[in-house]
Amino acid sequence: MSQWVYSFSNAKKVPSKNRKNLLGGKGANLVEMVSLALPVPPGFTITTEVCSYFYDHEKSYPKELKKQVEEAAKEIEKSIGMKFGDVKNPLLVSVRSGARVSMPGMMDTVLNLGLNDKTVEGLAARSKDERFAWDSYRRFIQMYGNVVLNLDHHDFEEILEQHKRDVDVTEDTAITADGWKKVVAGYKAMVKRELGHEFPQDVMEQLWGAIGAVFGSWQSARAVTYRKIHDIPEGWGTAVTVQSMVFGNMGEDCATGVAFTRDPSTGENYFYGEYLVNAQGEDVVAGIRTPQSLTIKGKEKEGSHLSAMEEVMPKVFKQLCDVRSILEKHYKDMQDIEFTVQQGKLYMLQTRSGKRTAAAALKIAVDMVSEKLIDEKEGLLRIEPQALDQLLHPTLDPMAHKQIIGRGLPASPGAASGEIVFSSDRAEELAKAGRKVILCRIETSPEDIHGMHAAAGILTTRGGMTSHAAVVARGMGRACVAGAGGISIDYKRKVMIVQGAEIPEGDIITIDGGTGDIMLGAVPTVQPKLSGDFATIMGWADKARRMKVRANAETAKDAQTARGFGAEGIGLCRTEHMFFDPDRIQHVREMIFADGEGGRKAALEKLLPAQRRDFVELFTIMKGLPVTIRMLDPPLHEFMPQGDNEMEHFAKVAKLDLETVRRRFAELHESNPMLGHRGCRLGITYPEIYAMQARTIFEAALECDVTPEIMIPLIMTSTELNILKALVDITAEDVFVKAGKKVSYTVGTMIELPRAALMAADIAQNAAFFSFGTNDLTQTTLGLSRDDAARFLPTYVGKGIFEKDPFSTIDKDGVGQLISLAVKNGRAANKSLKVGICGEHGGDPASIAFFESAGLDYISCSPYRVPIARLAAAQASIRDKI
Amino acid sequence: MSQWVYSFSNAKKVPSKNRKNLLGGKGANLVEMVSLALPVPPGFTITTEVCSYFYDHEKSYPKELKKQVEEAAKEIEKSIGMKFGDVKNPLLVSVRSGARVSMPGMMDTVLNLGLNDKTVEGLAARSKDERFAWDSYRRFIQMYGNVVLNLDHHDFEEILEQHKRDVDVTEDTAITADGWKKVVAGYKAMVKRELGHEFPQDVMEQLWGAIGAVFGSWQSARAVTYRKIHDIPEGWGTAVTVQSMVFGNMGEDCATGVAFTRDPSTGENYFYGEYLVNAQGEDVVAGIRTPQSLTIKGKEKEGSHLSAMEEVMPKVFKQLCDVRSILEKHYKDMQDIEFTVQQGKLYMLQTRSGKRTAAAALKIAVDMVSEKLIDEKEGLLRIEPQALDQLLHPTLDPMAHKQIIGRGLPASPGAASGEIVFSSDRAEELAKAGRKVILCRIETSPEDIHGMHAAAGILTTRGGMTSHAAVVARGMGRACVAGAGGISIDYKRKVMIVQGAEIPEGDIITIDGGTGDIMLGAVPTVQPKLSGDFATIMGWADKARRMKVRANAETAKDAQTARGFGAEGIGLCRTEHMFFDPDRIQHVREMIFADGEGGRKAALEKLLPAQRRDFVELFTIMKGLPVTIRMLDPPLHEFMPQGDNEMEHFAKVAKLDLETVRRRFAELHESNPMLGHRGCRLGITYPEIYAMQARTIFEAALECDVTPEIMIPLIMTSTELNILKALVDITAEDVFVKAGKKVSYTVGTMIELPRAALMAADIAQNAAFFSFGTNDLTQTTLGLSRDDAARFLPTYVGKGIFEKDPFSTIDKDGVGQLISLAVKNGRAANKSLKVGICGEHGGDPASIAFFESAGLDYISCSPYRVPIARLAAAQASIRDKI
């Protein structure tokens, strides 16, 4: 018989490696805490396998489940001495989701389950607090009503607000036990009205309802969106954890809180967290009440006047500090914890690896290595390479004039400018149109995920450092200023009111998530100054990685950036980019219009000095390093004049009549330019173009200290390479003889067509290197035009046909198969073959992991992604050896 | 030391398998004849390896060659008792080319080599015929001057014509010995004037000059063209055969002739040939003198008044008949022979497998099998599948009115209509513009190859059945009427004069190469009636082949043709072709313009009855056979209205405003439609389209007796197939439930993207069949757009990058590798997987041979190619077992 349910105590039998997959992150971590003898309320977990079963069997459960749940519930009753549905001593439970990885706020939770018209009286009697009992019951009805019965949150809120108005109070805390009874009666009446039946009184019915809702929430729209953004497979499923309730809201000796064992923004090693006295956990996370700091240090840092837990509950705080230390030693990582204090007793509800900013990730890794908690390799693995992106991009120019209009909490670092928008839908709409937006909300909720993802920055007027907006923004690497209390937002009129003035939607503001500043207009930015931690981490990465990292660059600026970020050469210099300069494009066009080889040569001669200067500049910057130069690749029509004005101008300067220009342009049209007359096909049909390019490269190289690597694009047969390599060699010989000196150089190929990969053994015989052009290789292997795929790719990702966009992360199964084959056969034919990749996948960590396993010698990516690639390559190298 | 030269006698040591490759077809066959004890003048062959060496080493020879040639020449001298350059008893030789396969008239030949001012006297003395000696000398100077010294043929002709005018004769035969001496003096003076030096008198210098010219002619423009047309690799090279001369022009007891051991036009088993008394071989082939028939039967058949060899030289004729019989028994094939009779003695100069029409090939194969010369399999291998094309195309309607304006020899069967053109360049030019032409020439020469290839038919006013025009036209399968003496052609005025009337260039005529008739205007044609031989051969082929043969068809007409030609099912029914009907395209367009699924479904409903009718019709024709139907494949913009008129019309009928139509059209534009939103991507994004198609197929199938095989195009992942197969299955279930009955059907995929081939194991798990779409698979594997490649593909074939156009003959190395991989992995994953091919390569014999070796179950091709495919599949099957 399959075991579908594990109690926390018996779950220790599940090997720790499988625990997360089977029990979800939350369930697994509760079990860990139980084994560390930390105070965890008893409970059990229904495995993720039940979730898979649920969706594979038309939302039904395995037949053994009912019995197993009932037995596990009995075990809780036994261990805690309370009974589910017992009118005297009722057991209350929470029902929570828990996937293999954390998806904060994405799925449903039900608390206080087990209350009904009878048990509420039992709870009142046991707790000697009637008000607490009825408050709990109304919370339960509200949550269950919303999550399980799909009733509108607002319908409940309205009843509550009406009651407050009736009794003339403003705070929930001012409502009496009788008041809560009235609210409960109102709630129940509304439920009956809306659904046609009573709110369920049978506690087991309540439990199964909640379990079904949690499994159902795995496929909620917001969860699906979150998984897409975070690349979480559909198939993983969620577990459901049922745990006996503890109460942070049973009085002033109760509290609830969330904490990070270190500062998740900066990484500083101090106990960072928030708590609320007499509250339930969601009060902290939702950002409705302003939470108080755990520590005096934290209170001072934030300039808060509210007492720290350290002051208010010193004994429990001490206990919590011990827990912090035990957990960090056990997990060897910064933890994000939830706790509740019930009548002076501490309970741990959750621990998990804490989300952090890139800067914090670096600092925590570096600190933990010096604290000898982890070693350098483990430190490297702790950092999400993509997150470095945050550090590498410009920050606000400290010297710039700033019109600061408000300030909030520095919830997620980074600076961002953009148009104000007030809804997530609008944010997404404008972002799709290529506009940068700042999403401004009173507070955010999981429904805002798509808008937060689309926005350059997020501003909220309510909520703390652990509010939804703050946590999600940090996870996404978006700049965020939270809880900017001085600002109010009017959604209806689409304005933000700041110091009496109104700022309408569409106006531009700048936010600095590192300081909390909000500024009018777009503030200029400067290059980031990278921290010492960054250098330390990069140093470890460079020691750990096997693959070299190069950059794709052709301009001096890009080459300088790349070298600054540690690029070890240029892996792709696209020579055609040098042709678009206004001074040169005329000559390029003249070449295209030339009659025969002679005319083309004459036009090329005019281009030669400029292109040689470019190469000298590039080679000077890259001194001592290899530079891979790709010969002209795009089809000639890309250089043609566009529109009537350009055509007329060109015709005039070139002394051609306009009709000829138009006709020639029409002649160059191709049905499928991607598969057309481009790449080495140009070199084969117009050898003079490649000869000119080779000449300028060699003449420039003679002045500098580099090893030019000449790369022939779009090879499909070895014969093409043989013909063009001979052309390059003859040109080199000619230049060297005239100059009376030589430089060393090599000739290799792009592998960017399936046929080239299939024929690698042949091609390698005459190639010094292969560089995989994964953009085109993806297009041809999948028969998928990158320019046209947008029309159906979202449907493809949505229906699970592709897990990820194959232009972002390499299609390992298909394209990867060709790469592995080409590497194997190419090396077998030519032992000294150097193999790299210069497609855009070169900067994608998941792809880099594949390139490591495929045994590539180097990866080349855009300059700003070089540090990411260095780290990802190191991680891949470390993981490959495990 | 390498052996570069073989005497005929010692060449028997070379294994017969390698002989042709090493010695060329001509050299190898001479050696065969020597071993059959047939009378062959002594000689030697310089191997094809020397030709390769020659081109690999800047046109120089291996160092051992000189000595080996000199020794072999000595051997001839010894065996024949004459000496090269000896003034008393001079040895004369011919120097001929000879490639591995025959390239008639393509390369150079020099005869009578060894004559100079001194040896000509020796020849005169020995032959006691001064006139013959000087005639031979002038022929030698003329030929050597033209071939080796590159002098213009006309310059020689002019001197000869001038002499004739001077002495007032019209025939060469009327020129005396002194006359020839004067002509020789004139030739020599002209040579000196043109070249600045004397005509070479050193016989060894003459010999090396001729050898160099023959090797050089391998790369002549016409030879290169011929090789391209006939797919002969550059690398094979030519051998050079040097053979002692015998003379057919030493008097009335001399003759020369060419013959076929059976009639090359019809295949009839009688001795078919022509001879000329007192002539050299080229006189027969060039078609300048009208040759006489070998046999009385032949003479009667052609209605000739000239005596047959059988009458004139009965003894030698008898000897020749014995040779015919020995050769046919030895080669077991119809032979094309050249012979010379010198003073009553027969010499065999050449034998080779004879070119023949398709009808002749069939008859000869069938006859030889019944004569037990060969078995059925060998009979099948004797027929060039491509040649069947001639038999399958329409012939003149016997009932049609014909205005016959002339008659010539029925030189190559088939009927053709077209515009008259008088030059090969013009023929090529018009053919490129898509126009059909009849090339009309006084006679043709190797310079006309490109024009003959471009023409639909060839008409000459001079020359016999073995003239250049006749032989080449038969080889190419072009209709040809030769030697139409009643017609004269004026090249300058571009008119043809027939019975006093002038027909200008551009007028349309029809020629019938089976009767020799020439008709004014375009005569209507009828479907060919296939001979009993055809049925016999097809019967053998069907027994011998392993692969099934299907047709690509969607119209009733094509399906009927296909079934008539023996197709065993439909391998590709392109449903989109059914959408272009004027009645339907409006609905298709409405579907494209529809807002959302509902609108699309409504438009599709209107298409449904028409498409169902199409399927009923098709299924009825293909009763009892499988029909593979491909779901909608092309991108939607292919259905859009084109041009302003169509757009306006559509907008009016669909009640849309014109701007909307234009905008939607613009939206559908794709940069690379080949890689765009098409194939199953349409089915994924608009499932209602595929659902409608599936519904019509099943509804139609319920009325008929077929097994529909539903084919999903452009699959790249197994998930796509899984989703769409589920859609088809659900639709089938729905139709079957409503109808209360079922039909059996299968669902499979096109494999036309590299990724699909790479992922075959995955995809095969849910596919009943794979059908390779080799057109698209070639485009994507090679990154080569078929629509755009014309711009550079000729350069690619010219430079030897591709041996053949990869869209005509499958790229075995690249695309073939993917096919083999997919077949292997697909079958491993699904033992019952059926594998076929439906790209255009399905009708190409070379590709079919590959598909046999790759183990495909069936091939599918256009209806007219079905018999070709049946034969090619049989040949592949036979060869695969050898």
Side-chain angles (χ1 to χ4, degrees), chain A residues 18 309 398 537 579 619:
Chain A
N18 284 332
M309 187 181 183
I537 294 283
F579 281 12
F619 292 169

Side-chain angles (χ1 to χ4, degrees), chain A residues 667 669 671-675 681 684 720 753 755 758 781-783 785 788 791 796 799 811 817, chain B residues 667 669-675 681 684 720 753 755 758 781-783 785 788 791 796 799 811 817:
Chain A
E667 277 169 19
H669 171 79
S671 305
N672 294 287
M674 164 66 209
L675 310 176
R681 297 164 193 178
I684 294 285
E720 292 170 313
L753 295 176
R755 194 183 196 280
L758 293 165
T781 305
L782 275 60
S785 163
D788 303 312
R791 207 167 295 161
Y796 265 61
K799 294 200 178 186
D811 159 36
Q817 199 179 138
Chain B
E667 277 169 17
H669 171 80
E670 293 186 308
S671 305
N672 295 287
M674 165 66 210
L675 310 176
R681 297 163 193 178
I684 294 287
E720 292 170 313
L753 295 176
R755 193 183 197 279
L758 293 165
T781 305
L782 275 61
S785 162
D788 303 312
R791 208 167 294 161
Y796 264 60
K799 293 200 178 185
D811 159 37
Q817 198 179 141

Side-chain angles (χ1 to χ4, degrees), chain B residues 463-486:
Chain B
M465 292 294 282
T466 54
S467 66
H468 178 267
V471 170
V472 173
R474 283 198 295 270
M476 283 181 178
R478 292 288 173 288
C480 177
V481 172

Side-chain angles (χ1 to χ4, degrees), chain A residues 770-781:
Chain A
F770 281 176
S771 180
F772 288 98
T774 51
N775 302 344
D776 281 0
L777 192 58
T778 300
Q779 295 200 80
T780 46
T781 305

Side-chain angles (χ1 to χ4, degrees), chain A residues 592-593 637 640-652 656-669:
Chain A
I592 296 170
F593 275 90
H637 53 77
M640 292 299 288
Q642 304 289 334
D644 287 344
N645 282 351
E646 261 191 61
M647 288 226 197
E648 276 168 35
H649 174 78
F650 168 71
K652 211 172 125 190
L656 287 165
D657 84 303
L658 190 55
E659 263 323 292
T660 309
V661 173
R662 278 192 217 285
R663 201 182 53 241
R664 179 81 178 118
F665 188 42
E667 277 169 19
L668 286 175
H669 171 79

